[in-house]
C-alpha cells in the first residue's frame, strides 16, 4: 500500500514546491514588467545579505562572507536591447531569406552549366 502512495506523495510535493515558487515569483513582480523586475532585484539585493547573516548565526557559523560585488546591471536596458535585436532580426528576415534564396538558385545554375 505504501509503495503505491509514495509516488503520489512525491508528485504532490514537487507540484506544491513548483506552485509555491511560481506564486512567489508572480507576487514579487518577477514575471511582470521590466520596471517591476528591477524593483524586485533591488528588494532582493537589500534582503539577501541580512538573511544569510541571520542563518549563519542560527547555525553557529562564524565565517566571514566576502562583500557583495557592485554590479552595474540594468534589467531595463538589457530587456530593451533584446527587444530591439529581436524586432530588427524579424524585420530583416524577409530580405535575408530572399538573398539566401537567390544565392542558392545562382549556385544551382552554376552547377548545371
Amino acid at each position: 500500500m505504501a509503495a503505491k502512495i509514495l509516488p503520489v506523495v512525491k508528485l504532490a510535493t514537487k507540484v506544491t514546491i513548483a506552485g509555491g515558487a511560481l506564486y512567489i515569483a508572480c507576487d514579487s513582480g518577477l514575471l511582470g514588467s521590466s520596471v517591476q523586475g528591477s524593483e524586485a532585484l533591488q528588494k532582493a539585493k537589500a534582503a539577501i545579505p541580512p538573511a544569510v547573516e541571520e542563518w549563519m548565526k542560527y547555525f553557529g557559523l562564524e565565517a566571514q562572507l566576502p562583500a557583495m560585488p557592485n554590479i552595474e546591471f540594468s534589467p531595463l536596458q538589457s530587456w530593451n536591447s533584446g527587444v530591439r535585436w529581436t524586432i530588427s532580426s524579424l524585420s530583416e528576415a524577409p530580405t535575408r531569406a530572399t538573398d539566401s534564396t537567390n544565392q542558392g538558385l545562382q549556385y544551382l545554375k552554376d552547377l548545371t552549366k
Side-chain angles (χ1 to χ4, degrees):
M1 182 71 178
K4 292 181 180 180
I5 294 177
L6 186 60
V8 174
V9 171
K10 287 172 62 175
L11 178 66
T13 303
K14 290 176 184 179
V15 168
T16 302
I17 291 171
L22 183 64
Y23 173 76
I24 289 173
C26 288
D27 190 46
S28 65
L30 289 176
L31 302 178
S33 68
S34 59
V35 173
Q36 289 175 332
S38 181
E39 290 172 0
L41 179 64
Q42 294 303 321
K43 287 179 188 176
K45 281 183 181 178
I48 289 175
V52 169
E53 187 176 319
E54 180 182 334
W55 278 99
M56 287 178 63
K57 287 179 185 176
Y58 178 78
F59 287 112
L61 300 173
E62 295 298 326
Q64 186 68 14
L65 293 177
M68 288 285 287
N70 187 11
I71 299 172
E72 295 298 325
F73 174 73
S74 174
L76 294 172
Q77 294 297 343
S78 297
W79 186 84
N80 288 339
S81 66
V83 170
R84 284 188 201 113
W85 179 83
T86 303
I87 298 301
S88 172
S89 297
L90 288 174
S91 69
E92 293 173 1
T95 305
R96 290 186 185 230
T98 303
D99 292 343
S100 297
T101 303
N102 290 337
Q103 286 177 356
L105 288 173
Q106 187 61 41
Y107 176 74
L108 289 174
K109 286 179 184 177
D110 291 343
L111 280 178
T112 56
K113 285 183 181 180

